[in-house]
Amino acid sequence: MIWALAAAAQAHVPVLYFAGPDDDWCGVFNASEGSDVIMLDPGEYRGPCVLHANLSNVPGEQTTLQSLDPLDPAVFVGSDADYVLHVEGESLLLLELSFRDVPAGIDPVRIGGIREIAVRRSWFSGGDAGVVQLPGVVEGLAVSDTQFVDVGRAVTVGCGGACEAERVDVSQNLVLGGLRGLEVGGTGGLVLDNVLSGVGEGIAIVGAAGGEVEVAGNLVDATGAAIRVDGGALVRANVVLGAPALAATGPDVRLEGNTAVIADDQGLDLHGVALVNTAVLGPAPALAGDVEAVATVACDAACFVDAAGWDFFPAAGSPLRGAGVGPAGRDWCDRVRAEPPSVGAVEAFGERSFGPLAATFKADIDCALPDGEPTGTTTAGTTPTVDTAPPPDPPADEAVDPEGCGCAGDRAGGAWAAVLAWLLLRRRSP
């Protein structure tokens, strides 16, 4: 069934398509143009499909492939090739799609020659990979509000210099388990507010020489390196647990206001960098002679409210409070810091913490202070309650819970979301 939506002052009239797993959904998509929306009915889908986001008469319009019902999403379960979706063309949004237990050796989303691509509010479980960029150039690449469970490599963009991503935004994702979480390269980008738990290696920034990637507000619990940087990067306000917790080399790397949990004095692997306002939970780290450590404090668990319970708020009387140097910047909760700031990722306002951090989407962590918000600050979380236990792995025979993203608003996207909702109601009416 095809619906056409008239849009004033546009050369191409947006079209809304519906397709199911027994239809030629790949062909339906490739017959679409920019600003069209292809909605997939609930069910199980198989690849391969080369999605070509065709340019309409108006450059910059985005084609969307999404689930009709995000609470019962389209589930991609495998492929007859070594990829499920290979994307290329102009501009594409993949929205609210599930890739469940895709077998080893098959890439769920492979990024080829496309100008810009976004993956939002989607779910990946099992297999070797999630979102993978092939050699080539992508102007804009974004992955956000997406959950990865036991995926070998959750997101690989920039390819360590083998391919180029000019603008990268990997933000607000949840990665549970897997060998590697997020590998990001390119000439510049953002890696913000991601939560990674139980991963082998957490966040790797590679091949960013000549540019800068900002890595901020992340929570990383890894058995290997939590954050590893090879290239230009600003690494600030992260809470990291790993071996090493931070690894970085070169004058183009700045490490500011992080909290690092280390097991021994080798917990930081740094060379030729400045280490500023860093809180170290554990023994004093052995730093190379070319590392400039400014306002870096190593202390025991008494510095924090409850370090064992993942509450890294500086305790009352902690030597971290007010021990930092300016500029103030922002903390893990995106609050404007005090002046002088606290050392570590979490700024100390008042005496009582907002509570422990958790292995859940960061948007579901409430940063509201029990004594009220300090004047002139902002907070990242808005949810009134926090589940402090890591969520269980999804059953092997079920898709990852779509509601786990905590992002139930604006399902259709764009200025005509209300029109889409009306059409969907019409389609379901007898």
Side-chain angles (χ1 to χ4, degrees), residues 73-356:
V75 179
F76 294 89
V77 295
S79 176
D80 298 323
D82 62 354
Y83 64 91
V84 178
L85 303 181
H86 175 109
V87 301
E88 57 186 39
E90 175 66 9
S91 180
L92 172 64
L93 169 62
L94 300 177
L95 179 63
E96 294 164 343
L97 303 177
S98 176
F99 298 84
R100 186 178 69 198
D101 297 331
V102 174
I106 298 175
D107 295 337
V109 176
R110 181 179 288 178
I111 300 169
I114 192 166
R115 189 177 65 81
E116 58 183 21
I117 168 74
V119 180
R120 296 184 59 208
R121 299 177 190 162
S122 293
W123 306 274
F124 294 78
S125 66
D128 294 336
V131 178
V132 179
Q133 184 185 356
L134 297 179
V137 177
V138 176
E139 291 184 15
L141 194 157
V143 181
S144 63
D145 303 297
T146 291
Q147 179 170 299
F148 302 87
V149 178
D150 293 329
V151 175
R153 298 170 294 136
V155 177
T156 304
V157 303
C159 304
C163 55
E164 183 176 350
E166 296 181 1
R167 302 186 312 276
V168 178
D169 185 350
V170 181
S171 302
Q172 292 283 358
N173 300 291
L174 175 62
V175 182
L176 303 176
L179 298 177
R180 171 173 288 180
L182 313 174
E183 179 180 313
V184 177
T187 57
L190 302 172
V191 182
L192 305 179
D193 298 332
N194 301 284
V195 174
L196 297 86
S197 180
V199 295
E201 184 171 89
I203 298 173
I205 306 301
V206 295
E212 182 174 279
V213 177
E214 182 176 2
V215 184
N218 301 285
L219 170 62
V220 186
D221 177 12
T223 56
I227 295 180
R228 182 181 299 278
V229 180
D230 174 20
L234 168 62
V235 181
R236 64 169 183 84
N238 302 281
V239 177
V240 288
L241 303 82
L246 295 170
T249 302
D252 294 331
V253 181
R254 291 178 290 156
L255 306 169
E256 300 178 1
N258 300 287
T259 294
V261 180
I262 63 176
D264 54 44
D265 63 358
Q266 302 300 313
L268 301 181
D269 182 12
L270 307 175
H271 304 276
V273 302
L275 190 64
V276 181
N277 294 352
T278 301
V280 177
L281 174 57
L287 300 176
D290 58 356
V291 174
E292 180 184 5
V294 178
T296 293
V297 179
C299 57
D300 59 22
C303 288
F304 305 95
V305 169
D306 181 12
W310 281 28
D311 189 337
F312 296 101
F313 191 87
S318 170
L320 303 176
R321 287 175 171 248
V325 297
R330 292 179 177 268
D331 78 342
W332 190 87
C333 286
D334 199 34
R335 292 186 175 92
V336 177
R337 290 184 180 268
E339 294 187 13
S342 296
V343 168
V346 180
E347 183 58 52
F349 289 109
E351 299 301 317
R352 293 193 295 158
S353 170
F354 55 84

Side-chain angles (χ1 to χ4, degrees), residues 5 14 16 37 39 66 95 121 409-425:
L5 306 179
L16 177 62
V37 177
M39 308 196 82
Q66 73 175 96
L95 179 63
R121 299 177 190 162
D410 188 21
R411 293 296 181 187
W416 43 284
V419 178
L420 276 178
W422 176 80
L423 284 173
L424 295 180
L425 289 174

